[in-house]
Amino acid sequence: MKSKAIFYHAGCPVCVAAEQSVANALDPSKYDVEHVHLGTNKARVNEAEAAGVKSVPALVMNGAAFHINFGAGIDALK
Amino acid sequence: MKSKAIFYHAGCPVCVAAEQSVANALDPSKYDVEHVHLGTNKARVNEAEAAGVKSVPALVMNGAAFHINFGAGIDALK
């Protein structure tokens, strides 16, 4: 069964680089990757925060948040 | 043709979590992932730094360094 991974971003250059390299490199046979733009989808900021996301870009998988470099703090997206 | 990705770490808990979730989730049909422990392989610290690694754990792929959360600064590994 595939696991779900969520890539949270805000469209920033750092986010796009992480998306194109890391998020898009995940094994599609193991992970379904959802891409969520928190800048245009503010309703999901709380969900991201609850999952441990403190900045974007971040990947939430296996129950943990993995921040990939630093594009913007989550407070800037509220 | 597969691309190479290098996962630099130092055996720290943050590193292990990133390795088990992110590094091990990369698509094996696209990437050959090398795992380098900079704590025990200090000869490769310079190489990591030259690739843009400022802290571990970090993944170098597609010519860029992606720092995943923060385990230790690279200066602490010299």
Side-chain angles (χ1 to χ4, degrees), chain A residues 6-10 12 15 36-60 65-78:
Chain A
I6 307 180
F7 179 73
Y8 292 103
H9 68 102
C12 55
C15 296
V36 177
H37 189 315
L38 292 178
T40 58
N41 198 344
K42 290 186 184 296
R44 296 189 64 178
V45 170
N46 284 349
E47 160 205 305
E49 232 179 353
V53 174
K54 296 185 190 319
S55 62
V56 290
L59 198 53
V60 172
F66 298 94
H67 303 88
I68 305 170
N69 288 343
F70 181 86
I74 196 143
D75 285 338
L77 300 168
K78 288 180 182 171

Side-chain angles (χ1 to χ4, degrees), chain A residues 17-18 21-22 24-28 30-31 59 61-62 65-69, chain B residues 17-18 21-22 24-28 30-31 59 61-62 65-69:
Chain A
S21 282
V22 184
N24 288 348
L26 297 184
D27 186 346
K30 286 191 200 157
Y31 291 92
L59 198 53
M61 58 196 294
N62 304 333
F66 298 94
H67 303 88
I68 305 170
N69 288 343
Chain B
S21 283
V22 184
N24 289 348
L26 298 184
D27 187 347
K30 287 192 198 157
Y31 291 92
L59 198 53
M61 58 196 295
N62 304 334
F66 297 94
H67 303 88
I68 305 170
N69 289 342

Side-chain angles (χ1 to χ4, degrees), chain B residues 25-44:
Chain B
L26 298 184
D27 187 347
S29 74
K30 287 192 198 157
Y31 291 92
D32 275 322
V33 185
E34 181 185 7
H35 297 240
V36 177
H37 189 314
L38 291 179
T40 58
N41 197 345
K42 290 186 184 298
R44 297 190 63 179

Side-chain angles (χ1 to χ4, degrees), chain B residues 6-9 15 18 53-60 65-68:
Chain B
I6 307 180
F7 179 73
Y8 292 103
H9 68 103
C15 296
V53 175
K54 297 186 190 317
S55 62
V56 290
L59 198 53
V60 172
F66 297 94
H67 303 88
I68 305 170

